[in-house]
Amino acid sequence: MNKNSPIRTVLTIVIGFLILFLLFKHQWLMYVAATIGLLGLTSEYLAQKIDFIWMKLGWVLSLIVPKIILGVVFFLILTPIALLYRAFKKDKAFKLKKSQNTVFVTTEKTFLKESFERMF
């Protein structure tokens, strides 16, 4: 079975335009669906050209859309969560107030031999 069939691509595009027509009720969507369907059915050459254009459009969108989605997720979801976390966190990781001469923090902890076994 051929993985990339031009007739299947044309049928998919026609069904997509028909669904859009049913949703939005614009007459030109029906005309576009009929035109693409007739061109794809009457000529194998035109079906291959429609398939080629459709696959190139998909490739271009695959370069653009993930970056937009990741940017939206970062700025609308992750950034507000990070800002809220920093605002309401009790233990401040950064010592921004100049109450000391250094930011070095000494800890008094004794390490045992078992601490270095199975660290992970």
Side-chain angles (χ1 to χ4, degrees):
M1 186 178 259
N2 192 0
K3 188 175 182 180
N4 190 11
S5 173
I7 299 299
R8 287 185 183 175
T9 303
V10 169
L11 180 62
T12 304
I13 294 169
V14 168
I15 290 174
F17 275 111
L18 289 176
I19 290 172
L20 289 174
F21 170 74
L22 292 174
L23 290 175
F24 298 114
K25 305 290 188 216
H26 293 295
Q27 197 67 29
W28 63 271
L29 292 169
M30 181 67 83
Y31 295 137
V32 171
T35 304
I36 291 175
L38 288 174
L39 288 175
L41 286 176
T42 56
S43 172
E44 181 69 26
Y45 175 77
L46 290 176
Q48 288 176 353
K49 292 301 175 188
I50 292 170
D51 178 59
F52 177 77
I53 292 169
W54 185 256
M55 292 301 160
K56 287 299 176 185
L57 177 68
W59 177 74
V60 169
L61 288 176
S62 74
L63 296 176
I64 298 169
V65 171
K67 294 174 182 149
I68 293 171
I69 291 174
L70 288 174
V72 167
V73 166
F74 180 78
F75 286 111
L76 294 182
I77 296 172
L78 295 178
T79 302
I81 290 172
L83 292 175
L84 287 172
Y85 177 75
R86 280 191 182 177
F88 295 112
K89 185 178 170 187
K90 290 183 181 181
D91 181 31
K92 301 293 183 187
F94 298 111
K95 308 236 186 263
L96 297 176
K97 295 180 181 176
K98 295 280 187 175
S99 62
Q100 301 168 348
N101 291 337
T102 183
V103 292
F104 183 75
V105 178
T106 58
T107 58
E108 299 295 330
K109 182 177 179 182
T110 58
F111 293 99
L112 302 174
K113 180 182 177 185
E114 292 81 25
S115 301
F116 296 103
E117 294 174 1
R118 306 182 94 197
M119 289 188 284
F120 298 104

